[in-house]
Amino acid sequence: MRKLTKRERILLGTALVLYAGFFAWQGMVLPARVSLETAEGRKEYLEKLLEESPKGEAGAGGQQLPGRKLEPEEADAILQKLAEDTGMEMQSFQAEKTQEGSPPFLKARFLGRDFRSAQSFAAGIEERKFPAALKWIRAEETKEGVELSLGFQLYGKETDG
């Protein structure tokens, strides 16, 4: 096998650098650029939605939300009705005081026969557009069935949907 000349080594090195640069561009730079453009498009869309949204009472996270604040007693009644519709039974419901002017933080515990009823209950909250910022939700299997616990903060009036 013969030794490569200086000219052949330079040409081969240049080809390898171009080859590596091409794959670096395709594998890292181009996807990052596409991701950035997508994120910018989403940001513009969300800003447009925010500008077009109706102004109402300040809700969770400082967002402007329409309607009046829902009282804990109303939330209790709504959750009991939803629990009845999905085969769950309310075990406890409590409202904790928060800072002045903010709606209370609510905790509720439900008992159902299986995970399917707990899943139906959670889906029912979303379907009814329950006016709350859900902070946590837990489902645990117990001897009696499935215990579903949730913690949330109310921010407006329930909407039929």
Side-chain angles (χ1 to χ4, degrees):
M1 181 181 243
R2 74 177 179 86
K3 191 173 182 182
L4 296 175
T5 65
K6 186 174 182 179
R7 182 177 178 182
E8 289 172 334
R9 284 185 293 196
I10 290 173
L11 287 173
L12 190 57
T14 304
L16 287 173
V17 168
L18 289 173
Y19 184 74
F22 173 77
F23 282 107
W25 177 266
Q26 291 293 325
M28 293 185 291
V29 176
L30 196 57
R33 188 173 174 188
V34 169
S35 177
L36 178 63
E37 289 170 359
T38 304
E40 287 172 349
R42 287 181 183 161
K43 179 184 173 209
E44 289 171 9
Y45 174 72
L46 291 173
E47 286 174 347
K48 180 182 169 190
L49 283 179
L50 189 58
E51 288 173 7
E52 294 173 357
S53 68
K55 304 297 183 214
E57 295 179 359
Q63 297 172 336
Q64 297 295 315
L65 299 166
R68 63 179 180 77
K69 289 183 181 168
L70 195 65
E71 297 298 322
E73 295 78 22
E74 296 172 289
D76 182 27
I78 292 167
L79 290 175
Q80 283 188 23
K81 174 74 171 119
L82 180 59
E84 182 181 306
D85 293 346
T86 57
M88 300 288 286
E89 180 184 336
M90 185 178 277
Q91 299 291 308
S92 67
F93 181 85
Q94 70 184 81
E96 296 177 356
K97 298 289 182 193
T98 57
Q99 50 184 298
E100 191 66 35
S102 295
F105 185 78
L106 306 176
K107 292 181 182 178
R109 223 179 67 218
F110 301 88
L111 185 63
R113 31 183 204 283
D114 55 14
F115 279 105
R116 184 167 289 157
S117 57
Q119 185 179 17
S120 296
F121 182 85
I125 289 176
E126 179 64 29
E127 288 171 8
R128 293 177 188 217
K129 295 184 172 97
F130 191 69
L134 193 62
K135 300 294 182 182
W136 49 265
I137 185 166
R138 289 185 205 103
E140 296 178 19
E141 195 167 15
T142 64
K143 291 178 184 177
E144 297 83 28
V146 173
E147 182 178 278
L148 181 71
S149 304
L150 14 128
F152 55 96
Q153 192 151 17
L154 297 173
Y155 57 70
K157 183 172 172 34
E158 180 184 29
T159 57
D160 295 326

